[in-house]
Amino acid sequence: MTIQLSPTVTPIAHGVDLLRADIDRIDDQILALLEQRYPLVQRLAGAKNVTGERRLALRPARERGIVERLAARAVGVPEADIRQIWRSIFALSARHQRPYRVILWGPEEARLTLTALAATRHGAAVPVEWADSAEEAWRAAAGGDAILMLPEGAAPADAHGLDLIERHATDRADHPWVLELGRLAEAEAEPGAWIAPTTGVVAYLGGHGSYSEEACLRVAPALRLLPLGDFADVLRAVREGSADLALVPVENSLVGPIEGVRDLLGHPELRVVGEEEVAVRLHLLGVEGASLETVRKVASHPAALGQCADWLGQRSWKEMPVASTAEAARAVAVGGDVTRAAIGSEAAAIWHGLTILARDLQGSDRNVTRFAIVERRREFA
Ligand SMILES: O=C(O)C(=O)C[C@]1(C(=O)O)C=C[C@@H](O)C=C1
């Protein structure tokens, strides 16, 4: 759309009036476009179901995409100006979709920086409050209706459960970075929009024959597999860069959320980029010579033991929770003991040379585990 402007060469006495008339015409156009933009934002609120959960309406990845696209098109408007103008639009739009406030926390010397940053980032439309402690600030943001801004390193010990919205550089040596954190929608990237890398390393729990391995092979078959001992190690590998991707189970249709994973996923340097569902069949695996009569102890990951609770309830075997189904199978194979069995997949039986003593112990025909595909946030990469 091109707007008809007055000729630029005008006598100076009339120049100001004519220029202002042009500016008024452009402002009318901007307003007319905002009149069209606002209802679209409202409709998006419905599509995003921002009232359903206590989570922010803000979508930082989408905001970055818009600013990048506009900056690439711009000729005379600097990128910093585009970012500043659209930040106000985004903050107002998000606030119309679902009200939020900004909570600030930091030492005395960081207060000016934080106040100024909150104002430029969210504009005057968003209420700003100071918290009395780091813990209080964190709790407020974890409630889902507030954004927390604090200098890097000022987070309370053991803090988790918030997503990184943005990392702002400041001009202060004593607090060079301010983090902006909040509870974002589960997978901020649209499901399906993520494209698996074709080189690199994928970390997962367990080893050969685990369902996590199956999830990795489905999602990113070209990547080198990096099996690790527990969920904390798997996600640390992504944060520290020794893996490009991690796959971790978050929920199983029979036993619900997988213990401990959700908290670890809340780390601000991590980002869930997609999901993969894997149908899980669990079998009893033993060494040669073992049978249902010889077994006394059964080892597996607690979630797998839980999925077989009905079947195991009919026996008086001792249940041994271990780090993963693959680890259980490995230990049984190495032990060579007919009184011990593992619960795991057919692939685990093949990998470890075990015999399947009983099939499909899971309590339902439809036993599905949902895996999160996790990357390091771009800001930290
Ligand atoms: O795309 C969305 O999800 C929106 O809510 C729209 C919009 C926008 O104004 O463009 C608003 C807030 C979000 O942070 C990102 C984009």
Side-chain angles (χ1 to χ4, degrees):
M1 174 191 44
T2 311
I3 299 165
Q4 202 53 49
L5 301 178
S6 306
T8 45
V9 191
T10 45
I12 200 74
H14 298 115
V16 170
D17 289 346
L18 287 175
L19 290 174
R20 285 190 175 145
D22 283 347
I23 287 176
D24 285 347
R25 261 201 300 282
I26 292 172
D27 285 343
D28 288 346
Q29 300 283 339
I30 294 175
L31 177 64
L33 293 174
L34 287 174
E35 297 276 12
Q36 293 176 37
R37 198 181 199 277
Y38 267 53
L40 297 180
V41 167
Q42 276 311 330
R43 278 171 57 191
L44 257 177
K48 281 157 59 178
N49 189 20
V50 289
T51 50
E53 296 174 76
R54 293 175 63 77
R55 282 179 189 275
L56 299 164
L58 229 66
R59 297 291 180 272
R62 169 72 179 147
E63 292 183 10
R64 280 193 288 274
I66 293 176
V67 170
E68 268 170 34
R69 191 180 65 80
L70 294 176
R73 283 175 63 103
V75 182
V77 185
E79 180 172 346
D81 293 14
I82 292 177
R83 178 167 294 112
Q84 182 68 36
I85 293 166
W86 262 269
R87 267 192 173 154
S88 298
I89 295 177
F90 297 144
L92 288 165
S93 299
R95 191 161 158 72
H96 286 312
Q97 290 178 347
R98 180 186 182 122
Y100 68 95
R101 61 209 160 98
V102 177
I103 311 282
L104 305 180
W105 163 254
E108 200 60 44
E109 61 276 13
R111 291 202 154 204
L112 263 179
T113 311
L114 284 167
T115 315
L117 212 51
T120 32
R121 178 66 174 91
H122 296 279
V126 179
V128 176
E129 294 163 28
W130 280 94
D132 289 333
S133 67
E135 289 76 16
E136 182 200 305
W138 202 273
R139 257 198 313 281
D145 287 327
I147 284 174
L148 166 60
M149 294 178 87
L150 81 181
E152 191 169 41
D158 295 334
H160 53 74
L162 295 183
D163 303 304
L164 183 77
I165 296 173
E166 203 171 330
R167 204 165 182 259
H168 301 274
T170 77
D171 52 6
R172 297 278 311 224
D174 45 359
H175 44 267
W177 294 100
V178 166
L179 301 185
E180 191 181 353
L181 304 155
R183 281 191 64 198
L184 296 173
E186 194 102 4
E188 198 207 312
E190 297 296 320
W194 179 79
I195 298 165
T198 49
T199 58
V201 173
V202 54
Y204 67 104
L205 175 75
H208 293 311
S210 70
Y211 278 104
S212 293
E213 185 181 72
E214 184 174 331
C216 293
L217 293 171
R218 279 204 212 176
V219 167
L223 267 61
R224 190 162 63 76
L225 295 168
L226 176 64
L228 292 169
D230 62 37
F231 292 131
D233 282 350
V234 168
L235 293 172
R236 192 176 306 114
V238 174
R239 277 176 20 230
E240 292 178 355
S242 46
D244 304 277
L245 211 66
L247 264 106
V248 284
V250 280
E251 194 170 24
N252 171 267
S253 54
L254 283 177
V255 298
I258 307 298
E259 214 180 301
V261 175
R262 180 165 287 273
D263 283 355
L264 291 167
L265 283 179
H267 195 286
E269 290 177 29
L270 296 174
R271 166 184 167 81
V272 174
V273 292
E275 288 180 2
E276 179 74 12
E277 283 197 345
V278 177
V280 173
R281 292 179 62 188
L282 294 170
H283 313 304
L284 188 72
L285 319 178
V287 293
E288 214 182 308
S291 69
L292 289 181
E293 284 67 46
T294 64
V295 171
R296 296 287 171 269
K297 288 182 180 172
V298 59
S300 199
H301 187 272
L305 292 170
Q307 288 159 45
C308 305
D310 290 348
W311 194 86
L312 288 171
Q314 298 160 26
R315 282 150 186 92
S316 49
W317 296 347
K318 187 168 166 45
E319 292 178 23
M320 320 269 288
V322 294
S324 67
T325 55
E327 170 53 27
R330 193 200 60 80
V332 167
V334 170
D337 181 346
V338 294
T339 67
R340 291 175 184 246
I343 288 179
S345 68
E346 184 154 5
I350 295 167
W351 265 104
H352 297 286
L354 295 173
T355 308
I356 295 185
L357 308 180
R359 282 186 179 272
D360 289 315
L361 317 186
Q362 69 279 355
S364 157
D365 287 348
R366 201 191 119 72
N367 186 30
V368 176
T369 298
R370 193 158 56 84
F371 289 82
I373 308 168
V374 189
E375 276 182 359
R376 192 180 193 197
R377 281 196 179 267
R378 244 195 304 162
E379 296 85 343
F380 292 98

